[in-house]
Amino acid sequence: MSFFKYQDGEMHAEGVSLAAISAQVGTPFYCYSAGALRAAWREFADGIKGIKNMNASVCYAMKANSNLAVVRLFGEMGAGADIVSVGEMQRALAAGIPAKRIIYSGVGKKASELMAALQVGVGQINVESSAEIETLNAVAAQLGVKAAITIRVNPDVDAGTHAKITTGRKENKFGIDIDLAREAFALAGRQPHLEVVGVAMHIGSQLTSLEPYRAAIARVRELIGQLRTDGHRIERFDIGGGLGIVYADEKLPSIAEFMAVVARETDGLGCELTFEPGRRLVGEAGVLVSEVILVKPGAAKTFVIVDAAMNDLIRPTLYEAWHDILPVREPRQDTATMRCDIVGPICESGDFLAQNRDLPPLAAGDLVMIRSAGAYGAVMASSYNTRPLAPEVMVDGTRFAVIRPRPTIDEMLSAERFPPWMESVKA
Ligand code: LLP
C-alpha cells in the first residue's frame, strides 16, 4: 500500500494534500507518513515473529532519519536504536528509547564518546578494532564498570551495491577482517573491563538480493563455532542493516523472505539476533516537495530549476542515486512528456536531483514530489549557500505537524561570532 497517492487530482500524503502543506510551510520541505513508518515497522516485527525459536530485537539505525518524532514513533512500537555518535545517543534518549536498548556502532569512537555512552549505560557497544578494544577497556576501568561488547567483523562479501555504500569487503574500513577476528576476540577476552557478548556484521546498504546476507551469515557462523572452541561465550549475533527499498523498479525480497534466510542460516546457532535496519523503515515513508522556480530550455536539454537542491538531498550527486519525481498536480493521462534535468539553484554542475527524465510539462510555481527521500535525506542536508535546512513535516491520517521548522536566516547567522579583534559593524 502506498501512503502517497493522487486524490482528486492532487498528490496526498495519507489524508493531507501536499499543496496544502506547502501553502502553510513553504518549499522545499520533507514530508513523512506516520502510517508508512508504522507499516514498515510492522512488516519487520511480523517477519521476526513469524519465525520460531528466534529471539530477536530491532535497533533502528537512526542515521537514516534521526528526527525526534520519527525515533519516538519507532520507540513506542518497541524499537531500540543503533547509534553512531553521542549526538544520536542524546536524540535516542530524548525520544524515549531506554539506554539498555541502544547499540553504539561506528569505526572511530573517541574515548570521550565511549565514556559518555558507558555513563548513560548503553546496552551494547560494537567494537571495530584492537585499538578500540584497549581504549574502551581503559575507559570502563576508569568508571569502574564492565562494558558489554560485540566485535564487528568484516566477512569480505560483495553486497552488490554502490561503491560508496558497500561496507563488507576487505578493502572497506569497517569491522575487523574475519581472518583476524580470533586474535581480536582473544585480546578482548583478556580485558578485565570488557564482557564479550557476541559478533556483529553490517555488509552494506540498499541490498536488493539476499545472497550476500546468506554468504556473510554462513561465514560468521563458522567463526562463531571457532570462537566458542576458543572459549568465548557468544550469545548475540548482530546482523546489521542494509535491506534495500524501491527507488525505481527494484525487485526486492520481502522481509519474510529475508527472515527465512536468516532463520535457516542461524538455525541451531543459539544466538539472540539483532537487526539494525535504517533505510527500509523510513526510506519509502518520506518525500521531498519542491516548487519549480523556472524552466530554462537549452540547446541540448531543458532544465527545470526547482527550489530544492543538492544541499537538501545529496543522494543523486553523491551516489548517482535515482529518485522518482512526480508532479504534485496529477497530469492527464494523455499529456505529452518533456525530457529534462531537474536541478537546484546551487552554483555547481553537480547540483541535480534527476537527469534526462521524461516528465509532464512543468511551469514556474508547480510543485514536484521527490520520492523515497525518507532515508538519508534530511539527515544528510547542509546549509550550503546559506540555504536554511528544509523543514520536516509528519502526516498522520488527516493531521500534519511540523516536526522540525525551517530556521530563519537570522537564527543561522546568530550561531556565528566575529573575533574580538574585528571592529564591530556600525549600525
Ligand atoms: N548498521 C550499520 C553499522 C551501518 O553502518 C548502517 C548504515 C546501518 C546499520 C543501516 O543501514 P541501512 O539499513 O539503512 O541500509 N547515506 C547512504 C547510506 C549509508 C549507510 C551507512 N550505514 C545512502 O544514502 O545511500
Side-chain angles (χ1 to χ4, degrees):
M1 174 182 172
S2 176
F3 290 82
F4 296 91
K5 281 200 295 253
Y6 288 115
Q7 291 169 39
D8 306 323
E10 287 285 338
M11 181 59 75
H12 282 61
E14 303 190 33
V16 184
S17 118
L18 293 182
I21 301 177
S22 165
Q24 202 166 314
V25 176
T27 51
F29 65 91
Y30 277 96
C31 176
Y32 310 129
S33 151
L37 295 168
R38 288 193 201 101
W41 171 264
R42 261 186 242 114
E43 195 191 356
F44 224 94
D46 289 349
I48 289 174
K49 268 192 280 164
I51 294 162
K52 291 186 202 74
N53 307 326
M54 198 191 272
N55 192 356
S57 54
V58 182
C59 290
Y60 166 56
M62 282 176 59
K63 63 165 77 67
N65 184 329
S66 56
N67 185 288
L68 290 172
V70 172
V71 179
R72 175 167 289 183
L73 182 145
F74 289 131
E76 284 175 349
M77 290 190 294
D82 169 50
I83 61 157
V84 288
S85 69
V86 167
E88 283 189 352
M89 181 175 83
Q90 277 177 230
R91 279 179 180 277
L93 296 171
I97 307 259
K100 278 280 152 252
R101 280 206 250 134
I102 296 178
I103 294 181
Y104 190 4
S105 304
V107 71
K109 311 180 193 76
K110 298 197 278 189
S112 57
E113 295 170 316
L114 292 168
M115 168 96 56
L118 290 179
Q119 275 165 338
V120 306
V122 301
Q124 176 179 315
I125 299 180
N126 291 356
V127 173
E128 297 205 24
S129 62
S130 304
E132 189 183 351
I133 289 172
E134 286 170 343
T135 305
L136 180 59
N137 182 62
V139 172
Q142 220 179 313
L143 294 175
V145 297
K146 222 167 171 176
I149 66 159
T150 74
I151 294 183
R152 175 169 170 188
V153 300
N154 184 332
D156 192 29
V157 297
D158 186 357
T161 63
H162 190 275
K164 288 204 176 97
I165 51 176
T166 192
T167 50
R169 297 303 305 273
K170 266 203 177 85
E171 51 272 34
N172 301 133
K173 69 181 174 185
F174 301 99
I176 292 182
D177 207 323
I178 194 153
D179 300 328
L180 304 173
R182 288 171 82 176
E183 285 166 46
F185 275 87
L187 174 67
R190 290 194 297 273
Q191 311 299 316
H193 288 275
L194 299 187
E195 187 190 356
V196 184
V197 295
V199 187
M201 69 174 215
H202 171 76
I203 55 177
S205 201
Q206 184 55 16
L207 271 75
T208 52
S209 151
L210 295 178
E211 173 50 28
Y213 284 109
R214 196 207 53 74
I217 294 172
R219 280 186 199 177
V220 173
R221 180 181 184 126
E222 197 185 318
L223 172 70
I224 290 175
Q226 293 165 348
L227 294 172
R228 285 180 174 154
T229 311
D230 293 346
H232 299 285
R233 227 167 18 113
I234 305 295
E235 296 163 352
R236 279 183 222 165
F237 182 5
D238 181 341
I239 289 177
L243 286 167
I245 61 166
V246 175
Y247 286 101
D249 51 7
E250 294 86 348
K251 295 276 164 291
L252 299 176
S254 67
I255 299 296
E257 286 165 329
F258 167 70
M259 291 298 171
V261 168
V262 172
R264 195 171 341 115
E265 295 300 322
T266 58
D267 188 37
L269 189 58
C271 279
E272 181 190 325
L273 303 176
T274 316
F275 300 93
E276 299 171 353
R279 189 190 315 261
R280 186 70 172 230
L281 294 180
V282 290
E284 292 181 37
V287 298
L288 174 61
V289 178
S290 181
E291 184 179 300
V292 176
I293 300 174
L294 57 93
V295 178
K296 186 166 144 180
K301 57 171 99 170
T302 295
F303 294 98
V304 175
I305 302 178
V306 300
D307 66 359
M310 64 188 278
N311 73 299
D312 301 302
L313 180 67
I314 192 120
R315 303 196 68 261
T317 307
L318 195 55
Y319 313 117
E320 293 135 352
W322 199 99
H323 285 258
D324 198 12
I325 298 187
L326 293 173
V328 164
R329 177 161 311 135
E330 187 172 19
R332 287 175 37 171
Q333 288 294 335
D334 55 356
T335 311
T337 57
M338 62 172 188
R339 166 104 359 147
C340 58
D341 280 14
I342 312 284
V343 302
I346 289 181
C347 319
E348 302 233 12
S349 298
D351 177 28
F352 60 85
L353 296 169
Q355 291 176 308
N356 301 316
R357 287 295 168 86
D358 294 320
L359 288 176
L362 290 163
D366 287 348
L367 296 175
V368 293
M369 167 177 110
I370 299 130
R371 277 172 101 163
S372 294
Y376 306 110
V379 282
M380 292 181 78
S382 77
S383 49
Y384 185 38
N385 282 196
T386 309
R387 292 167 50 84
L389 292 179
E392 295 171 280
V393 171
M394 182 180 276
V395 169
D396 195 352
T398 54
R399 299 176 289 191
F400 78 91
V402 174
I403 55 173
R404 185 183 70 189
R406 191 188 315 278
T408 64
I409 304 288
D410 280 345
E411 281 165 351
M412 291 168 71
L413 299 194
S414 69
E416 294 171 30
R417 301 282 178 274
F418 292 106
W421 61 85
M422 276 189 186
E423 267 188 58
S424 55
V425 183
K426 307 274 181 311

